[in-house]
Amino acid sequence: MRRAFVHGLMATAMVFSAASAAFAAAPSAMPANKTAAQDDWWKHAVIYELYPRSFADSNNDGIGDLKGITNHLGYLADLGVDAIWMTPMFPSPQVDFGYDVADYDNVDPQFGTIADADALIAKGKGQNVKIILDFVINHSSDKHAWFQQSKSSKTNPYRDFYIWRDGKNGGPPNNWTSLFGGSAWEKDPTTGQYYYHFFYAQQPDLNWRNPALEKAMFDQAEWWLKRGVYGYRLDAVGTMFEREDLKDNPPAPGTDAFGLPEQNRINNTEQPEMHTELQKLRQNVIDKYPGRILIGETYVSTAPELTKFYGAKNDELQLPMYLSLIGLKPITAADLRPRIEAVENNPVGGWPCFALNNHDQRRSTSRYDLPAGTTGDDMARIMAAMILTLRGTPILYYGEELGMLNNDPKRVEDVQDIIGKKGWPKEKGRDGERTPMQWDASVNAGFNTGAKPWLPIGPDYQTRNVAAERADPNSVLNYYRTLIAERRTNPALAGDMTMVDRSNPNVLSYVRTGGGKKLLTVLNFGGTASDLTLAQLGGGKIGRVIVQNRTTVTANGLHLAPLGAIVAEIN
Ligand code: NOJ
Ligand code: CA
């Protein structure tokens, strides 16, 4: 089921971590390499996705909130984060934990107030941490005033804000199924018509073919831009439009987690009209405010499909996230290389954007079968070495920098995420990757000091937490800090990228070059150790080592144990 988010896919001597050396030189909030045009700040940024419910709970009600985030901005600035993308904190019945928005121009009381949002934006400005919000473009909550109006009669002026149709042969208008289970159509008794919902029935799809809806949505987007947010992560971009003639989807093999036959969603996803709409959003709203950006939740399988989201004239999304690396299981160098290269070399010159974790996917530390002798921490390190040295903008997910693990529900009665209740046990939902941030070893991991957190704290919190990892030079956190600091100061990491040792099925290697510097990244995703010569890796000599894990520098090359990773200067 989780793959359905991906539409169409869907130890040897000298092993040490160089993190300690760079710890002392950890960056201040102002990046050294912000010499590029201010409007391009996002090309040199580290973006951090944060799930407000789970980050920090300032008022001890068990649910994270905006003040909690504001209280921890110093941590983010110190980590080297340039911008946070917050998942929705707007008023919402929370059926889909905020992705069912009831009012865009406000803050849900459980997360705080508009004043709290303004304070977060202002404090972020002071600390050089920009705030990016989530814009749920495909649907609203069924409790949104627009939908309440829309459902009240066929002639209500808001009727066409949503997609209403008559049923067919005593059933729904067509065979489309919801990604979250059951038919994608819900019959509403007031008018006897059906409304369309790609996700839950409580998330009716908005009708972007209606100019009045378009204007209303653009106005909402502008409202927050005026308050100082730096743009949006657009939710579920590919579901924005569906075929107007409602053509049935063809069947696909198998059954979904909710018991219905799978289908190939070619008629209600990835419709060409969305590109025109994204161009309008970019030109009419975003570009009016300097430096503002659009990030896309763009689940596509191939780079050519992703390329479309930059726009033929680079006039759509600045950062369509390439999320397909998440779907690789097992993860191999042979699978990673062509995918990364295809994104790097996209024909419109769009800037790559990678994410390896998010609130809908198992954390990478818990996602794969680990080679014998390795741990989730080794997986965290190899992933960090990759995402923080690829050419492009990385989007990290809170807790990733600690090597946090999934903490999956063990019993259906403990599940919070409704898809986990509906799909149990095949689909356990997304609670496991959304557990509270682990700040310290105190009760509730420093998330709060009061009510039971909305999801259980990871059992490893007494050792895996910010305080403990800050103090440990070999921690995953310091590995991240070191790499992020290097991104800010080393011009090679703002320069070109070339894959080397290209036919190696197990080890992914590439060289970054810029400002007279060269940086080599070597990552052993294979299940066995690998010995590589420097000639094989493009030549030169290993110089300063930035980070190193399960790797030895040998007389004429490198020895990498499984999940071994190294980032080093080449002289
Ligand atoms: C994608 C979001 O990331 C996910 O959490 C949500 O459930 C769906 N879109 C529906 O909004
Ligand atoms: Ca709270």
Side-chain angles (χ1 to χ4, degrees), residues 531-535 537 542 551-560 566:
D531 285 288
L532 306 167
T533 65
L534 277 169
L537 296 169
I542 298 283
T551 297
T552 316
V553 179
T554 58
N556 66 342
L558 297 172
H559 174 87
L560 290 95
I566 183 168

Side-chain angles (χ1 to χ4, degrees), residues 56-65 110-111 447:
D57 174 18
S58 73
N59 66 346
N60 289 315
D61 64 355
I63 293 168
D65 43 55
Q110 65 181 295
F111 295 132
F447 171 70

Side-chain angles (χ1 to χ4, degrees), residues 50-69:
L50 185 157
Y51 203 67
R53 271 186 107 71
S54 301
F55 199 59
D57 174 18
S58 73
N59 66 346
N60 289 315
D61 64 355
I63 293 168
D65 43 55
L66 297 187
K67 277 192 180 143
I69 297 169

Side-chain angles (χ1 to χ4, degrees), residues 5 51 85 96 99-100 134 136 139 180 199-200 203 233 235-236 297 299 358-360 430 434:
F5 273 93
Y51 203 67
W85 142 39
D96 193 16
Y99 281 98
D100 44 328
D134 212 309
V136 188
H139 49 268
F180 286 175
F199 297 98
Y200 293 126
Q203 294 170 301
R233 172 265 193 186
D235 184 62
E297 189 200 19
Y299 273 114
N358 65 41
H359 63 284
D360 295 324
R430 299 162 289 181
R434 299 175 174 179

Side-chain angles (χ1 to χ4, degrees), residues 23 75 402 437-442 445-446 461-473 475 477-478:
F23 182 78
Y75 165 74
L402 305 178
M437 177 72 172
Q438 297 170 193
W439 294 101
D440 59 39
S442 66
Y461 79 94
Q462 284 181 329
T463 50
R464 188 183 304 286
N465 62 58
V466 171
E469 293 198 35
R470 276 297 298 258
D472 173 7
S475 66
L477 177 58
N478 280 322

